[in-house]
Amino acid sequence: MRLTLFPTLVGIWSLGTEPSFDQRLYDDLLAVHSRMKTDGSEIWSRQAHDVFNGTLESANQLANMALPWIQREFVGNCGRITQLQGREVVRSNGMEIMPHSDEDECHLQAVYFPNGPELDFFQDFQTQVNQYGPNAFAICNPDWRSSGFGKCLMPWETHAKFWIKPHRGLLVAFDARAVHFQKPYMGNVPFMQVLLNMKVERIDG
């Protein structure tokens, strides 16, 4: 008997949003970010806030699109999303996100990209999305360091990192215990992603 145990579940979809919606979301959250930014130089140097507290219409629209999708396509019938909280992440040229997990904040996390290159729906979705490069987003398996620090990759192992090239309208959901990080962004216009931090309840016990 040969088993492949304990996979990391990840969902990647295009929400098919209109450019006008994403521009409005981007502008709204850029204004929120400007108000909440503190004197610190780190990405996380901002006042605590929740963009899904009901006061921002574009964020409400994103939640109304994303949550049913994640519930149906990711969580399924054995659980339900019980809580949503989130915030914007805004990066300028050269800024990266270091490896971390968010299990202290939520059970399930999603990242939505309101800006970035456009997807070509006449080309293969996975080929476009699964690319390494500047600003690439990585989701790692639990032993993600093993093959990158001078240790061999076993014949039955896949690479420890799955690279995702952010595109406008892309939604990525994953177990909040998974280590993830992002390569430096190289661009002149601030790059934004929206974090959706969700609590999930099992239905089957």
Side-chain angles (χ1 to χ4, degrees):
M1 182 167 60
R2 185 175 184 268
L3 303 175
T4 301
L5 297 176
F6 313 127
T8 298
L9 191 63
V10 175
I12 308 172
W13 313 277
S14 169
L15 286 186
T17 50
E18 293 292 332
S20 58
F21 167 77
D22 284 314
Q23 186 62 57
R24 186 169 72 255
L25 178 67
Y26 178 88
D27 292 341
D28 288 347
L29 292 182
L30 206 58
V32 170
H33 185 76
S34 179
R35 293 196 303 271
M36 295 297 168
K37 189 72 176 164
T38 63
D39 293 334
S41 60
E42 299 296 329
I43 297 171
W44 309 109
S45 300
R46 58 192 167 185
Q47 301 173 48
H49 63 287
D50 176 16
V51 300
F52 298 111
N53 63 4
T55 61
L56 197 63
E57 180 56 32
S58 56
N60 293 344
Q61 288 182 266
L62 175 60
N64 290 336
M65 287 186 287
L67 287 186
W69 194 291
I70 295 169
Q71 176 66 61
R72 182 181 68 251
E73 302 293 335
F74 194 91
V75 178
N77 296 326
C78 293
R80 57 176 164 258
I81 298 170
T82 59
Q83 184 179 327
L84 171 67
Q85 180 273 337
R87 57 187 177 269
E88 80 295 340
V89 176
V90 178
R91 290 182 296 137
S92 56
N93 188 290
M95 296 182 74
E96 63 183 316
I97 298 176
M98 300 303 290
H100 68 286
S101 75
D102 293 287
E103 61 182 312
D104 56 338
E105 292 193 47
C106 55
H107 302 130
L108 175 62
Q109 187 169 72
V111 180
Y112 179 76
F113 301 101
N115 63 335
E118 295 289 326
L119 283 162
D120 184 343
F121 292 100
F122 293 101
Q123 295 186 29
D124 180 69
F125 179 75
Q126 183 168 335
T127 301
Q128 292 181 77
V129 170
N130 183 206
Q131 292 189 34
Y132 173 85
N135 203 31
F137 187 90
I139 297 178
C140 310
N141 75 18
D143 194 25
W144 68 282
R145 294 181 182 273
S146 63
S147 61
F149 283 75
K151 298 179 182 178
C152 66
L153 190 67
M154 289 292 151
W156 54 85
E157 288 184 310
T158 58
H159 290 285
K161 306 176 190 69
F162 185 85
W163 293 101
I164 298 168
K165 179 179 180 179
H167 288 74
R168 185 190 67 79
L170 200 68
L171 177 69
V172 181
F174 51 94
D175 188 321
R177 293 171 294 188
V179 171
H180 52 283
F181 63 94
Q182 200 159 355
K183 299 294 286 182
Y185 166 63
M186 307 303 290
N188 297 320
V189 176
F191 188 84
M192 180 184 294
Q193 52 215 60
V194 188
L195 304 185
L196 295 88
N197 297 328
M198 293 159 279
K199 295 289 181 70
V200 177
E201 179 180 78
R202 287 181 65 118
I203 293 176
D204 64 356

